[in-house]
Amino acid sequence: QNEKELQDVVKQQEEKMLQLIDKSGEVTRLKGELSQLKRSLQRAETEAKVLWEEMRGQEPKVDTVYVQERVLLRQEVDKLRLLLLEKEDENLLLSDKY
């Protein structure tokens, strides 16, 4: 009887663990999706900022190659800033952990 009850408890615990693993995978997937959306938003905001700056101070004729280069440079700066923030967050988590 005790062995049967113990097997039932173990089975229930295994089912709970599988559910938690499924939920963890879903959370991880959603975090990845959120991260991609944030990057896309940041790229769009960067492009809009650069275009606005260029249009504000330029004559009617705008050098599109120059504008594209500025957009790419700004995106690179924003990407590096984001990587720095992610590393700082990781370091903070590690220091909290230890």
Side-chain angles (χ1 to χ4, degrees):
Q1 179 69 27
N2 286 341
E3 188 177 333
K4 173 98 169 97
E5 288 176 13
L6 186 58
Q7 286 176 349
D8 289 342
V9 168
V10 168
K11 186 177 179 180
Q12 289 173 355
Q13 290 298 321
E14 287 175 352
E15 289 173 1
K16 286 180 183 179
M17 285 177 52
L18 288 175
Q19 288 174 349
L20 287 174
I21 289 170
D22 287 346
K23 288 179 183 175
S24 173
E26 181 69 12
V27 167
T28 301
R29 186 186 66 75
L30 289 173
K31 283 182 180 178
E33 196 174 313
L34 179 62
S35 179
Q36 286 177 336
L37 289 171
K38 283 181 180 179
R39 282 193 294 274
S40 294
L41 176 61
Q42 186 177 19
R43 276 194 298 271
E45 288 174 342
T46 299
E47 191 170 330
K49 258 192 273 186
V50 171
L51 291 172
W52 177 253
E53 288 173 4
E54 287 302 313
M55 297 308 290
R56 194 171 26 150
Q58 290 288 324
E59 301 170 4
K61 186 177 181 182
V62 176
D63 182 5
T64 56
V65 173
Y66 174 73
V67 172
Q68 286 176 331
E69 188 176 310
R70 288 252 350 240
V71 168
L72 292 174
L73 288 172
R74 183 72 68 113
Q75 285 176 342
E76 196 63 31
V77 168
D78 287 344
K79 186 191 313 180
L80 291 171
R81 189 175 291 127
L82 181 62
L83 285 172
L84 176 64
L85 291 174
E86 288 173 358
K87 289 298 178 187
E88 287 175 351
D89 288 346
E90 285 178 19
N91 289 341
L92 187 60
L93 288 174
L94 285 174
S95 66
D96 288 347
K97 184 177 180 180
Y98 295 103

